[in-house]
Amino acid sequence: MTIRDIADLAGVSKSTVSRVINNSPNVNEKTREKVMHIMDETNFLPSAIAQGLSRHYANTIGVLLPETGGPFFGKVIQGINKALIDTPYTILLCCTENKAEYEMRALDNLLQQKVSGILLTSSSDFCENESARRIRKTLNSFQVPIVLIDRALKNSMWGGVYSDNSAGAYMATEALIKKGFKKIGAFISDISLSIGEQRYKGFTQAMDDYGIPVEEEFVVTEKFPLSMHEVYLKTCEMAEAGNIPEAIFLGNGIIADGFYKAILEKGIAPGKDVHCVGFDYSQFLDIIHFPYSYLERNSVLLGETAAKLLLKSFSDLSGIRQEYIIPSALRLDGSLQ
Amino acid sequence: MTIRDIADLAGVSKSTVSRVINNSPNVNEKTREKVMHIMDETNFLPSAIAQGLSRHYANTIGVLLPETGGPFFGKVIQGINKALIDTPYTILLCCTENKAEYEMRALDNLLQQKVSGILLTSSSDFCENESARRIRKTLNSFQVPIVLIDRALKNSMWGGVYSDNSAGAYMATEALIKKGFKKIGAFISDISLSIGEQRYKGFTQAMDDYGIPVEEEFVVTEKFPLSMHEVYLKTCEMAEAGNIPEAIFLGNGIIADGFYKAILEKGIAPGKDVHCVGFDYSQFLDIIHFPYSYLERNSVLLGETAAKLLLKSFSDLSGIRQEYIIPSALRLDGSLQ
DNA sequence: TTGAAAGCGCTAACAG
DNA sequence: CTGTTAGCGCTTTCAA
């Protein structure tokens, strides 16, 4: 069933059917109704692929993410989906598993698929190696709009939607300072990525602003992602050396997991022996009434905002580069209020 | 840049370029190399959309899921991605938010996009209402292979990959019985869906097989999904009425959350006052050394298996309907070992 | 307001 | 082994 068949059934030409499909105003009301009726009756749906070839772009949006298994990106997808559900666009999803090579291939793939736009959380981010450069080059040569999600891209020409990493880290650290703690530590990973860099900046900025010295034995930073187990081991070490601070900023959820696991084993009471603030809510800690302060970020909103920004850039071609920061709310448990 | 341009640069015809692209054996080695070289140099990638129109189907696979925000489906996507990463197929993702209407629209959308196959977790499942019927009708009229994920579809002609719901529930219940408990309860939702129905069957079957009577005051079932809060309230009620059993089977992770929250508040000690087994691992409960027994299911493998089954059905057109059950491992905490 | 015709970039007989 | 040709199903001038 093609527009040819519909045209024959309606006794009109293909062009007219096409006009009806595309809501062209230049169609007689009677004709439009007749064609619509036949399309309804026959359950006709135009081939998106043929439309795509004709229009030079598909009504798909490429979504390129490092992973989907964790709690964060699943919610981001949910938000993107929410923003696209009443549009003609469908999500073309690629996961890079944080590998630059897969990212490169996925980008090529999206190019081939003639997506109308791209939502991207790059795996390369701040890396300076060869493949990262290639990726950035490819990105800058893209003919379609791109909106970055959660991770900025150095020297990029694209807008983006981000968590308020530095402000969040600042707020969290500030809360600890205001509570009167002097020995304040931090666990921050990915500082070679914008996301980690900013969280680290937020932390040190707050310490500086309040004149609290950053003591090295309480601060752990790592260029790359830290696994829960690595944090666990490192914390155990710190505990054995008597280096657990009065209060600590935990850079992300995985870090928090590893940290809590270790201190609980070592008999160090959270909210008492050590006061913690981290990124992201944990329902489980809530359930067991664990004293847990955190920065709540709205990941669904992040995805939704990014998708809307992309949609806007389709019609508004001014090309002005916009950035949105999705705020985090600081949720303090009783011991810090 | 099209195959026309490549053809001109290489001094051959479009057909030859097409043959090279599609690895046709009927190309002279010299010619192939020349064409390949030019494609490399010019960074040429054939338009997937034009290929699709010509071949009558796109190299995309429709993935239709109820949601992506939770821990389960994110992992399923991860598995699908894993299976597809070295194939020419890309994921076209639609989330239905468990709404039959969105599911219907998404299905139409995938039809239009001429996907090569579909991976589906239906929202309608066992429902018997009008839209569910329409969805099933649409599905049966699909010309492309479909593989069901996690939720079976009554009277469907399609294969699928499922969690071992009934065997899992049986194993879990059996473990409680073998430990000598007589007052055994259960919390099971979605019993109007295959998934809940099967878990309920597994539970009652085990009770039957061991001659333990099912006592109503300890068993809560619900046709629809139970929210954590509903379970929490119901458990509080049970606790106040003195109806907390010695042991209990918890039908899913959300139920477990609500149940634990309530008993912890009521001062009932898990692993001591009441012994619990549920579906799905919880890292948080692990971290805090919470006595927690569970059925571990491999959601990534589930997605991966489904995608592989779909790929297989592309080449092997025998149309034999296959079903895979991904086994769960029973992980018992100290109090039940 | 409509139709004819060309073309989007590719594949796939068919002929050579 | 290679080129010619005719589509795939739609959009979009251009004329009428």
Side-chain angles (χ1 to χ4, degrees), chain A residues 13 15-16 19 26 28 31 53-54 56:
Chain A
S13 73
S15 325
T16 301
R19 287 190 190 99
N26 304 323
N28 182 294
T31 319
L53 182 57
S54 227
H56 300 283

Side-chain angles (χ1 to χ4, degrees), chain A residues 78 81-82 85, chain B residues 65-67 95-100 102 123:
Chain A
Q78 195 185 322
N81 189 66
K82 198 171 160 193
I85 199 119
Chain B
L65 263 26
E67 45 100 359
C95 303
T96 61
E97 295 177 7
N98 271 310
K99 287 177 195 150
Y102 284 162
S123 309

Side-chain angles (χ1 to χ4, degrees), chain B residues 13 15-16 19 28 31 54:
Chain B
S13 74
S15 326
T16 301
R19 287 191 190 99
N28 181 292
T31 319
S54 225

Side-chain angles (χ1 to χ4, degrees), chain A residues 95-112:
Chain A
C95 303
T96 61
E97 294 176 8
N98 270 309
K99 289 176 193 151
E101 193 222 326
Y102 284 162
E103 182 160 334
M104 197 62 212
R105 277 164 53 184
L107 244 21
D108 280 349
N109 200 319
L110 296 180
L111 256 177
Q112 285 193 63

Side-chain angles (χ1 to χ4, degrees), chain A residues 263-319:
Chain A
I263 62 168
L264 286 173
E265 252 181 54
K266 296 288 175 190
I268 298 166
K272 210 170 137 223
D273 301 331
V274 57
H275 296 258
C276 318
V277 191
F279 258 88
D280 297 341
Y281 168 71
S282 156
Q283 188 170 52
F284 287 97
L285 295 177
D286 201 22
I287 288 166
I288 59 162
H289 305 283
F290 190 94
Y292 178 55
S293 301
Y294 60 94
L295 289 153
E296 182 177 59
R297 51 180 177 159
N298 191 335
S299 325
V300 175
L301 182 60
L302 207 153
E304 194 183 352
T305 308
K308 282 187 178 161
L309 182 51
L310 185 62
L311 290 174
K312 210 174 73 181
S313 76
F314 291 162
S315 42
D316 169 15
L317 300 159
S318 63

Side-chain angles (χ1 to χ4, degrees), chain A residues 6 13 24 26 49 51 77 101 117 189 193-194 244 246 259 296-297 299 331 334:
Chain A
I6 301 296
S13 73
S24 158
N26 304 323
I49 247 175
Q51 291 180 312
I77 296 177
E101 193 222 326
S189 68
L193 302 187
S194 58
I244 299 292
E246 297 167 336
F259 186 79
E296 182 177 59
R297 51 180 177 159
S299 325
R331 309 283 180 206

